[in-house]
Amino acid sequence: MKYLLGIDLGTSGTKTVLFNDAGKAVCSASEEYPLLQPNNGWAEQDPADWWNACVLTLKRVISDSKINPRDIAGIGFSGQMHGLVMLDDKGEVVRNSIIWCDGRTADECDEITKRVGESRLVEITGNHALTSFTAGNILWVRNHEPELYKKCKHILLPKDYLRFKLTGKLGMEASDASGMNLLDIRTRNWSDEVLKKLDINPELLPDVYESSGIAGSITAEAAALTNLAEGTPVVYGGGDNAAAAIGTGVVESGKAFITIGTSGVLFAHSDEVAVDKGGRVNTFCAAVPNAWAVFGCTLSAGLSLQWLRNNFFLPEMKVAEGLGKDTYDIMTAQAERIPIGANRLIFMPYLMGERSPILDPNARAVFFGLSAIHTKYDMLRSVMEGVIYAQRQCLDIHRDMGIEFGEIYATGGGGSSPLWRQMIADIFDLPVVTVQNREGPALGAAILAGVGAGMYKSVADACKEIIKVNAPQLPIAENTKKYDPYYNLFCDLYPAMKEGFRTLSKL
């Protein structure tokens, strides 16, 4: 039997999953690492932590599965997008990676917009200049750390760094490169115009390929560290959301998925380029050749729940550890006891600023309506609801753009929670579908590896063969009516607080 490996480099940790040729998960391993915040609104990670997690999870999967590593036909990647990885002429990391949820580059985004022109930037790259995008991070290092910038000879994205460490080959692929604000999304290659206007040397950037293309093979050095077989083919892989789309079968128009991971994403496949001129949602290349994706990304979805857990639910964490359970399962069971609307408490999930749909790095999280009657369980329910309200705003924008779908696939940590899925169904007023294999991004990465290795003719063919769905979770009409007034109020809150957030950021 042949196997495929999917490596998913996330923000909180890396998960490596071994799949058989039918797409069934055989063995998996995860390793967490820290999020570094040198200043308020900043977010960095050490690429050495990613590499260590990659090595450890690969070794565990090979050991625990007891398979012959030579039976692995291919390896694919899914990765958190936008993170800036700078290498010197020896291939060594120059500084910590500034990652996707960092909000420090507002001035650089203004600089990009002025240099390129707002409408021209959107026309070429499909997106406005956003603080989470890589171009702003590049300019920030150039503006604030010029000595480090001078040392930089190669720029990669997070998953591309792991692939470089495994294969010794530099490269990027279109889905992840789309999130840099430097790619022409129509030609699927770097924009000479944008690079010239931003004075970024094109030699810093590697060539761009399609996601299922063979990038290289496992080197002898990497094989010794990971227990993989030297020469195992490695494909380029995809950005986390593009890979998740493949892992849920969202590879044709009329299909969409929602994922509640560290960030929250509403992602719709498109066979044509569709751009929101207001920049409220993003347009990227898909991991499927000659296809695109329109999606909204809220920065603090699962991160909001993680923050609440780490600061208010320490007793539940200890109980869960003693019982061998997941703390989030205990928390969601408690949230289920709280009524819709969390006893008139609304959470605005802007812990790290916000991307979609309000484009404001100054925005900050708010509990609106907090009173002496509220407990941490009301706060818990309001956090979960607030995250889905933010996603509902992205859904409304998709509809404004004429992008419709009759059901939505759910993946990520939120997709595994029956309560969160019901919230999605009720607040969206759409059936929520899950796939039988819950490894979304990792499965998508493995499917790309299978296509690259010649096991499948195309991504679409692979998905038809592998992806199986469960019965949909239907909206409850009574619940939808209860949520609607809270959602409408949620939408009114940010405009009323926008100037206050701006003032706060300057104090």
Side-chain angles (χ1 to χ4, degrees):
M1 178 180 288
K2 290 295 183 181
Y3 298 89
L4 297 166
L5 269 174
I7 301 172
D8 180 23
L9 191 170
T11 307
S12 57
T14 288
K15 185 174 187 179
T16 297
V17 186
L18 180 72
F19 298 91
N20 64 18
D21 54 11
K24 181 179 179 180
V26 174
C27 187
S28 68
S30 300
E31 185 73 22
E32 294 187 351
Y33 32 71
L35 175 69
L36 309 175
Q37 293 187 275
N39 288 296
N40 185 20
W42 292 20
E44 298 183 356
Q45 287 184 321
D46 185 349
D49 290 336
W50 302 335
W51 174 235
N52 180 61
C54 179
V55 169
L56 289 176
T57 55
L58 283 168
K59 288 178 70 174
R60 284 187 208 142
V61 165
I62 299 299
S63 174
D64 293 349
S65 66
K66 297 181 172 57
I67 68 162
N68 184 338
R70 296 199 174 278
D71 289 334
I72 297 174
I75 300 171
F77 287 90
S78 163
Q80 55 165 295
M81 300 181 69
H82 314 303
L84 173 63
V85 181
M86 306 176 75
L87 305 181
D88 63 19
D89 56 0
K90 296 180 180 178
E92 299 296 327
V93 174
V94 171
R95 72 175 320 283
N96 283 342
S97 174
I98 303 173
I99 66 169
W100 62 271
C101 52
D102 187 283
R104 77 183 72 178
T105 61
D107 290 341
E108 284 71 25
C109 289
D110 290 341
E111 180 182 351
I112 291 168
T113 302
K114 289 176 183 176
R115 286 190 179 209
V116 181
E118 184 175 15
S119 62
R120 185 62 177 152
L121 183 68
V122 173
E123 182 182 355
I124 296 171
T125 72
N127 302 283
H128 286 71
L130 303 182
T131 56
S132 54
F133 283 6
T134 323
N137 297 334
I138 294 172
L139 267 59
W140 187 92
V141 176
R142 187 171 71 189
N143 291 341
H144 295 271
E145 300 173 346
E147 293 305 314
L148 293 181
Y149 188 78
K150 288 178 183 177
K151 293 181 180 179
C152 179
K153 300 302 178 185
H154 305 287
I155 289 174
L156 295 176
L157 296 168
K159 77 176 194 315
D160 303 317
Y161 174 69
L162 294 188
R163 196 181 57 247
F164 166 69
K165 295 286 285 184
L166 289 174
T167 67
K169 303 291 185 182
L170 297 168
M172 283 193 195
E173 49 74 41
S175 73
D176 216 355
S178 299
M180 296 184 72
N181 248 169
L182 302 173
L183 193 81
D184 185 328
I185 61 169
R186 290 169 176 81
T187 66
R188 303 169 87 87
N189 213 332
W190 304 119
S191 168
D192 291 336
E193 178 182 340
V194 173
L195 292 176
K196 184 176 181 180
K197 287 181 176 178
L198 298 183
D199 195 23
I200 295 175
N201 185 349
E203 293 183 2
L204 293 174
L205 301 170
D207 292 338
V208 180
Y209 302 89
E210 291 297 338
S211 299
S212 58
I214 298 293
S217 59
I218 298 298
T219 64
E221 180 181 3
L225 289 171
T226 62
N227 294 334
L228 291 167
E230 182 181 356
T232 304
V234 180
V235 302
Y236 287 98
D240 50 6
N241 297 308
I246 293 172
T248 51
V250 177
V251 295
E252 58 188 8
S253 291
K255 287 192 173 183
F257 78 85
I258 183 174
T259 181
I260 308 295
T262 304
S263 62
V265 172
L266 180 68
F267 181 112
H269 181 95
S270 177
D271 291 329
E272 299 178 354
V273 178
V275 177
D276 176 54
K277 293 182 179 180
R280 297 170 298 172
V281 293
N282 307 121
T283 301
F284 288 174
C285 298
V288 180
N290 301 313
W292 290 265
V294 180
F295 67 95
C297 177
T298 57
L299 296 181
S300 302
L303 179 63
S304 293
L305 195 61
Q306 182 185 54
W307 168 82
L308 193 77
R309 181 198 67 178
N310 293 346
N311 288 281
F312 295 92
F313 285 83
L314 295 178
E316 285 80 0
M317 292 175 70
K318 292 181 179 179
V319 170
E321 183 179 1
L323 295 175
K325 292 186 176 182
D326 188 326
T327 307
Y328 291 120
D329 290 339
I330 294 175
M331 291 171 64
T332 53
Q334 293 166 331
E336 200 164 11
R337 298 186 292 108
I338 304 300
I340 288 172
N343 291 310
R344 297 180 182 174
L345 182 63
I346 295 175
F347 179 71
M348 301 167 68
Y350 308 144
L351 289 173
M352 302 298 294
E354 189 54 290
R355 176 162 150 186
S356 300
I358 63 173
L359 290 175
D360 189 352
N362 295 323
R364 288 295 179 266
V366 172
F367 281 103
F368 180 79
L370 190 65
S371 77
I373 70 165
H374 290 123
T375 68
K376 68 179 185 179
Y377 305 112
D378 298 300
M379 296 170 70
L380 169 61
R381 176 90 190 199
S382 72
V383 165
M384 297 181 72
E385 292 179 350
V387 166
I388 307 305
Y389 292 150
Q391 292 289 284
R392 164 69 188 275
Q393 287 183 306
C394 295
L395 170 67
D396 289 347
I397 294 165
H398 278 73
R399 288 171 170 165
D400 288 345
M401 296 173 67
I403 299 173
E404 297 282 352
F405 31 89
E407 61 185 9
I408 190 159
Y409 290 70
T411 185
S416 65
S417 163
L419 175 58
W420 230 337
R421 289 200 306 271
Q422 192 61 56
M423 283 184 182
I424 295 167
D426 295 340
I427 294 171
F428 282 24
D429 196 18
L430 286 174
V432 174
V433 178
T434 56
V435 298
Q436 292 179 8
N437 189 321
R438 296 183 179 180
E439 301 293 353
L443 177 59
I447 288 173
L448 290 170
V451 174
M455 293 174 63
Y456 310 102
K457 291 182 179 180
S458 68
V459 172
D461 286 345
C463 289
K464 288 177 183 177
E465 184 173 335
I466 290 174
I467 305 300
K468 310 296 181 187
V469 301
N470 298 307
Q473 197 160 336
L474 302 176
I476 300 171
E478 181 181 353
N479 290 351
T480 301
K481 291 180 181 179
K482 291 179 180 178
Y483 278 118
D484 278 347
Y486 288 101
Y487 172 65
N488 292 333
L489 178 56
F490 175 89
C491 292
D492 291 338
L493 292 178
Y494 170 75
M497 296 183 186
K498 181 178 180 179
E499 289 306 314
F501 288 137
R502 185 190 299 272
T503 301
L504 181 64
S505 72
K506 296 178 180 179
L507 295 180

